[in-house]
Amino acid sequence: MTKSMLTPLAQSLPASVPFVGPEAQERARGAAFTARLGANESVFGPSPKAIAAMAQAASEAWQYGDPESHELREAIAAHHNVAPENVMIGEGIDALLGYVVRLLIGPGDAVVTSAGAYPTFNYHVAGFGGVLHSVPYKDDHQDPDALLEKARETDTKLVYFCNPDNPMGSWHSADAVARTIAQVPEGRLLLLDEAYSDLAPEGTLPPLDMGNPNVIRMRTFSKGYGMAGARVGYALGHPELIMAFNKIRNHFGVNRIAQAGALAALQDQDYLAQIRAQVIQARAGLSQIAAENGLTALPSATNFVTMDCGRDGDYARAVLAELIARGIFVRMPFVAPQDRCIRVSCGRTEDLQAFAEALPAALKAADHD
């Protein structure tokens, strides 16, 4: 084409994705990974009841999914003791992040986040022309006080805060988060990403207050429930904000099979409890592997363990590359000083064993790069 049909904003954006998928890396290396421990998926899989429900729903895939996700929405509301009007279902938290940004942010509007926090949020902000302002982590934790100060300084409408945190695995107490919510200035929205809430220790999540218009909280079926590939997440918030999603969302975005699986998964809390126990065991195993190899495992409230490699980002990237070359898919934080680390998802015994066998050689090779 001699003349682009794209908008000026679209022309200005790079053609990129926030994450390079493991499938792309497998194609590049010409071999499958031995252990898939990079995307914080649950290799333990969904509840057998969810699998059965999805299998049944597959025979009904000729039908569109309910655009209101009525049954799932009602079940989530009952699970959290809120009204259905406080719940919005979306295609994972990633899509819900995009919807919030679209609702609140126009070209040139300021948005506040932490440097190195979840990059998909930044991707959406760029896509709608927002201007990102970031604050550094503090002791490997997101810094809510600095986020609020930057929000006041930039007069932003939207602040992103993840608790428990990705990519570090750190977390703030429920009391600290409640204090942060209480300090959000009027007319601004705190977007509280709680993707790892189902795996967090007791005392991490403050009570839900659906009457507060200054916070929206997001949860997912991708982590504890093991349904990352189904793409189901939900937002909890003030009914006026929740209703606004209907102005711009993809009403058929959450397919029939995903809705059925999420509903069955939610109803199987015993299975979720088993997964929590397996995640705790795997975190301990990963921490032991780190210690045996001279790395420091950071405390984690998630389904991954971040390991401090003890040097700079270049060294951590070399370790990462050497692990990938040995068939172990892991990731790492993108921004210094957190990029001194690698991040390893929890896995089965055989996954952790493969990682344990590959790590010493990867560290040795990185030392010689």
Side-chain angles (χ1 to χ4, degrees), residues 157 197 250 258 262 304 328 351:
K157 288 187 290 185
S197 59
N250 177 2
F304 62 85
I328 309 298
D351 300 313

Side-chain angles (χ1 to χ4, degrees), residues 8-367:
L9 174 58
Q11 290 183 58
S12 73
L13 298 173
S16 63
V17 295
F19 297 102
V20 177
E23 295 83 4
Q25 295 184 50
E26 287 176 329
R27 289 190 291 270
R29 63 190 298 269
F33 284 118
T34 303
R36 182 166 165 146
L37 300 173
N40 304 341
E41 303 149 320
S42 176
V43 301
F44 308 112
S47 158
K49 295 178 181 178
I51 295 172
M54 288 187 283
Q56 173 61 38
S59 67
E60 304 166 350
W62 60 272
Q63 303 176 46
Y64 288 109
D66 179 1
E68 297 179 6
S69 302
H70 178 77
E71 286 189 76
L72 180 57
R73 197 176 178 198
E74 292 272 341
I76 290 171
H79 180 70
H80 291 296
N81 196 28
V82 300
E85 291 75 20
N86 299 122
V87 182
M88 179 53 64
I89 312 296
E91 311 92 298
I93 287 181
D94 285 2
L96 291 165
L97 293 174
Y99 293 147
V100 170
V101 173
R102 183 178 176 185
L103 283 169
L104 270 65
I105 302 302
D109 287 343
V111 178
V112 171
T113 186
S114 300
Y118 192 47
T120 300
F121 176 71
N122 304 357
Y123 172 82
H124 288 306
V125 172
F128 290 103
V131 179
L132 272 175
H133 298 266
S134 62
V135 301
Y137 277 61
K138 182 178 181 180
D139 299 327
D140 292 326
H141 290 66
Q142 289 196 34
D143 187 345
D145 292 335
L147 287 168
L148 291 177
E149 179 59 33
K150 182 63 72 171
R152 288 186 282 266
E153 175 188 317
T154 59
D155 195 30
T156 184
K157 288 187 290 185
L158 183 60
V159 180
Y160 176 84
F161 176 33
C162 186
N163 189 63
D165 176 62
N166 177 20
M168 302 311 291
S170 53
W171 70 100
H172 291 276
S173 70
D175 289 344
V177 177
R179 286 194 298 272
T180 300
I181 294 172
Q183 294 175 51
V184 176
E186 186 176 354
R188 295 176 175 88
L189 182 70
L190 181 70
L191 197 169
L192 184 54
D193 184 339
E194 296 176 321
Y196 298 91
S197 59
D198 296 310
L199 305 168
E202 193 73 26
T204 302
L205 308 173
L208 294 169
D209 177 7
M210 299 293 91
N212 186 342
N214 297 329
V215 61
I216 187 167
R217 299 168 69 164
M218 295 191 174
R219 310 272 175 98
T220 184
F221 286 88
S222 294
K223 307 303 178 185
Y225 291 103
M227 293 179 56
R231 310 311 304 131
V232 189
Y234 59 97
L236 299 164
H238 190 280
E240 289 185 12
L241 179 57
I242 293 298
M243 181 62 69
F245 280 78
N246 289 323
K247 298 174 181 288
I248 48 87
R249 71 183 177 93
N250 177 2
H251 287 72
F252 289 110
V254 183
N255 69 68
R256 191 176 193 88
I257 297 170
Q259 289 184 41
L263 179 60
L266 185 68
Q267 293 169 341
D268 193 355
Q269 291 297 307
D270 289 342
Y271 182 81
L272 180 61
Q274 294 174 31
I275 296 303
R276 287 195 194 100
Q278 289 177 282
V279 166
I280 290 170
Q281 183 177 4
R283 288 197 303 237
L286 287 170
S287 296
Q288 180 177 346
I289 293 168
E292 290 171 351
N293 287 274
L295 308 183
T296 301
L298 305 184
S300 174
T302 65
N303 66 342
F304 62 85
V305 173
T306 299
M307 301 178 182
D308 189 339
C309 294
R311 303 192 197 176
D312 60 10
D314 288 340
Y315 177 68
R317 277 183 283 276
V319 173
L320 184 79
E322 294 295 342
L323 284 168
I324 289 173
R326 288 163 175 77
I328 309 298
F329 169 55
V330 299
R331 284 187 174 139
M332 63 180 290
F334 296 151
V335 175
Q338 281 67 48
D339 69 348
R340 70 189 191 281
C341 304
I342 59 172
R343 192 197 67 193
V344 187
S345 302
C346 292
R348 302 159 299 185
T349 301
E350 56 266 37
D351 300 313
L352 270 58
Q353 181 62 35
F355 173 66
E357 291 173 357
L359 183 59
L363 292 169
K364 183 177 181 179
D367 280 334

